[in-house]
Amino acid sequence: MKRCVGKKILIVAMALVLVVGFCGGAGAADKYPSREIELMIPWGVGGATDVVFRTFLSVIPKYLKVPILIVNRPGGGAVPGYAEGMQKKPDGYYMVAWITASLTKTHMSEVPYDYKTFDPVIMIVDDPCWVLVPANSPYKTINDLIDAAKKNPGKVTMGNAGAGGGTHMIALAFEKKAGVKFNHVPHQGGGPTIVAAVGGHVDSCNMSPPEGVPQLQAGQLRCLAVFSEQRLKDFPDIPTAKEQGVDFVMGQWRGLAVPQGTPPERIKLLHDVFKATMDDPDFQKLAQKAGISTVYKGTADFRRHVEKENEFYKNLIIENKLGTRYNK
C-alpha cells in the first residue's frame, strides 16, 4: 500500500513540474520581440523605399531593443519578394515594405497575392512624384518634354522603377493627361533608374523623393516638375506641373505590413515603435535632409487607404487596357 501511495505522489509531483514548466515556457515565448525582426524590401538598395526605411532604422533603436534587419529582394516587379513573404509565419518577426507598387502589379498580371494578403501596420510616407532629366538635357520645363513627345510619339524615353509599379502607373496617367506617348523604360528599382538618368541612358524618369535628391543637389540631374498641389518645402525653386499648365497631382505612399494573421498586439507594438520614430526630432532632421515627406496613417486608416487605392489602380489599369490580367 505504501508503495502505491508513493507512486501516486511521484506522478502528481511530476505533473506539477510539467505544468509549471509549460506555463513558464509560455510566458517566455510571449515576450515579444525576443529576437531580430526581418524587413523585406522587394526593390534594390538605393531606391526610395530602401532609403526611407534605412533612415528609419537609424533611429528605431531608441524605441526597440532588438534589431530590424533589411533584406532586399529586387526584381520581377516585386512579385518574387512578396511571393516569398506570403510564406512567412505571421508571428511579428517578419514585415514587408508595403507601397503603391504593391497594389499596381496585382492588377497588371496574375500574381499569387493581393491587397488582403498582408495586414497593414502603419503608413509613414506619401511622396509626390517628380520628373527628372540629365543635367545636360535640352528640356528646361515640363512643357518642353511634352512638346518633344508630341512631335515624336513613342520616342522620348521615361524611366521608371519597374514595369507595372507605382512610378510606371503614374507616368502612364501623366502621359494620358498630357495627351502624349512616351517610351517607358523599366528598371529594377529606383536606384538603377536614377543611375540611368544620370548617365543619360533615358531622356527623363518619373520618380519620387528621396530618389534623386543627392543627384539634384550635386547638379547631376534637374527636375522639370513635381506632381503636387504646392511646391515642396525643401525644394522651393522647383515648380509644380499645375503651375506650368498641366493639372496633374499624383504620388506614392509607403508603409509597413505583416503576413495576414499576425497577432493584433504585435501589430500594435510595431505600429507604436514606428510612430514614435516618426515623431522623433532626430528622425525628422534626417527625413528633411533626405527629402522624405512623412505622412502618418494608423493601422485602421492605412487599411482603408489601401482598399481605396486598390480600387483606384484597378480601374486605371482596366480603363487604359494595361497588362494582361484583364486583357486576355
Side-chain angles (χ1 to χ4, degrees):
M1 177 65 71
K2 288 182 179 179
R3 185 177 297 176
C4 291
V5 172
K7 285 183 177 180
K8 289 181 179 179
I9 292 173
L10 180 61
I11 291 170
V12 171
M14 291 174 65
L16 285 172
V17 168
L18 288 172
V19 170
V20 171
F22 176 80
C23 291
D30 286 341
K31 187 177 180 181
Y32 171 80
S34 59
R35 56 182 171 83
E36 70 275 5
I37 296 171
E38 182 177 328
L39 169 56
M40 189 279 295
I41 297 177
W43 292 279
V45 175
T49 304
D50 184 72
V51 171
V52 165
F53 284 108
R54 289 185 189 276
T55 304
F56 259 90
L57 295 196
S58 68
V59 180
I60 276 180
K62 286 186 179 183
Y63 306 99
L64 190 67
K65 299 309 178 185
V66 301
I68 296 179
L69 307 178
I70 287 181
V71 176
N72 296 88
R73 293 281 189 264
V79 175
Y82 287 128
E84 176 185 310
M86 64 187 292
Q87 306 298 324
K88 300 290 185 176
K89 289 183 179 180
D91 57 6
Y93 288 99
Y94 186 85
M95 303 182 291
V96 300
W98 198 233
I99 77 169
T100 304
S102 309
L103 304 181
T104 58
K105 187 63 178 176
T106 67
H107 298 295
M108 287 289 289
S109 59
E110 295 286 350
V111 297
Y113 58 89
D114 62 18
Y115 75 101
K116 295 180 289 186
T117 301
F118 298 94
D119 288 334
V121 175
I122 184 173
M123 188 178 97
I124 57 180
V125 167
D126 195 359
D127 281 317
C129 282
W130 52 12
V131 177
L132 307 173
V133 296
N136 61 354
S137 170
Y139 310 126
K140 307 299 181 184
T141 68
I142 196 66
N143 285 305
D144 290 343
L145 186 70
I146 291 172
D147 290 343
K150 285 182 176 178
K151 293 175 183 176
N152 303 281
K155 300 292 186 181
V156 176
T157 55
M158 179 170 284
N160 62 65
T167 55
H168 182 204
M169 291 294 101
I170 292 168
L172 289 170
F174 170 64
E175 75 173 10
K176 180 179 179 182
K177 183 70 177 182
V180 298
K181 182 64 178 176
F182 293 108
N183 178 6
H184 300 275
V185 182
H187 298 83
Q188 291 191 0
T193 311
I194 293 298
V195 171
V198 169
H201 303 298
V202 289
D203 299 314
S204 64
C205 65
N206 176 53
M207 307 306 295
S208 60
E211 290 161 337
V213 170
Q215 293 78 13
L216 281 172
Q217 294 171 337
Q220 296 173 305
L221 295 175
R222 286 187 290 106
C223 183
L224 302 184
V226 58
F227 296 152
S228 57
E229 291 286 354
Q230 299 177 338
R231 295 191 182 197
L232 300 181
K233 180 177 62 176
D234 298 323
F235 298 91
D237 296 332
I238 298 176
T240 65
K242 292 184 73 171
E243 288 179 72
Q244 300 177 71
V246 184
D247 189 7
F248 185 78
V249 175
M250 211 166 180
Q252 294 195 100
W253 46 266
R254 294 179 172 87
L256 283 173
V258 291
Q260 190 180 57
T262 299
E265 64 274 14
R266 297 190 175 188
I267 290 177
K268 183 179 186 306
L269 186 147
L270 293 172
H271 165 276
D272 293 350
V273 165
F274 274 81
K275 180 61 168 68
T277 304
M278 286 183 72
D279 295 337
D280 188 281
D282 289 338
F283 169 72
Q284 291 175 4
K285 291 177 184 177
L286 291 172
Q288 183 175 4
K289 183 178 180 180
I292 299 171
S293 301
T294 57
V295 177
Y296 165 73
K297 286 188 186 295
T299 301
D301 285 342
F302 188 25
R303 183 183 299 278
R304 285 189 287 268
H305 184 72
V306 168
E307 291 171 350
K308 183 179 178 181
E309 287 283 281
N310 180 72
E311 194 66 19
F312 171 81
Y313 281 105
K314 176 182 177 180
N315 292 333
L316 176 68
I317 289 167
I318 292 174
E319 180 183 334
N320 287 276
K321 297 181 179 178
L322 303 172
T324 59
R325 181 172 178 180
Y326 306 111
N327 297 288
K328 297 179 180 178

